[in-house]
Amino acid sequence: MIDLVALWQNAKENDFVCSKNKITKRNVLALITNGANNLREVKKNINFSCDGSCAAKNPSGRSCDENIEALLEIYVPLFELMKHTHSKA
């Protein structure tokens, strides 16, 4: 089974999270830096119509939701740490 966290840590910013809707890692990271910290908030701000059919086309072979969750797991804590560290400076 593919390790989604490792895949998305090493993915380029223009790699597709959702190939069906042409949503990239960069798009999701932009939402995270603007405060999105869960799947609902990401999907509220970007057009995902994830019905699972795109999993076969996605580089990870997984659904958009799974890809977004992996990105959230990696980058939300990092962004929160950066915000917290910066606010103390």
Side-chain angles (χ1 to χ4, degrees):
M1 179 169 257
I2 191 166
D3 179 353
L4 284 180
V5 170
L7 176 101
W8 287 110
Q9 281 176 324
N10 297 314
K12 295 177 182 152
E13 64 181 30
N14 61 344
D15 285 351
F16 288 119
V17 174
C18 176
S19 57
K20 181 177 180 178
N21 293 310
K22 308 293 188 238
I23 306 301
T24 64
K25 178 181 177 180
R26 180 186 312 144
N27 300 131
V28 176
L29 293 181
L31 292 171
I32 292 170
T33 59
N34 284 315
N37 61 11
N38 60 54
L39 182 61
R40 182 182 46 78
E41 290 177 5
V42 170
K43 291 177 90 171
K44 177 174 71 173
N45 290 290
I46 206 162
N47 183 26
F48 282 99
S49 59
C50 191
D51 58 6
S53 66
C54 60
K57 296 178 185 174
N58 284 339
S60 66
R62 304 293 273 284
S63 73
C64 304
D65 287 357
E66 291 174 287
N67 290 326
I68 295 166
E69 290 285 4
L71 287 168
L72 290 164
E73 181 179 336
I74 299 163
Y75 292 103
V76 168
L78 291 174
F79 183 67
E80 291 299 321
L81 179 63
M82 289 170 47
K83 282 190 335 186
H84 181 69
T85 303
H86 180 69
S87 68
K88 289 186 173 185

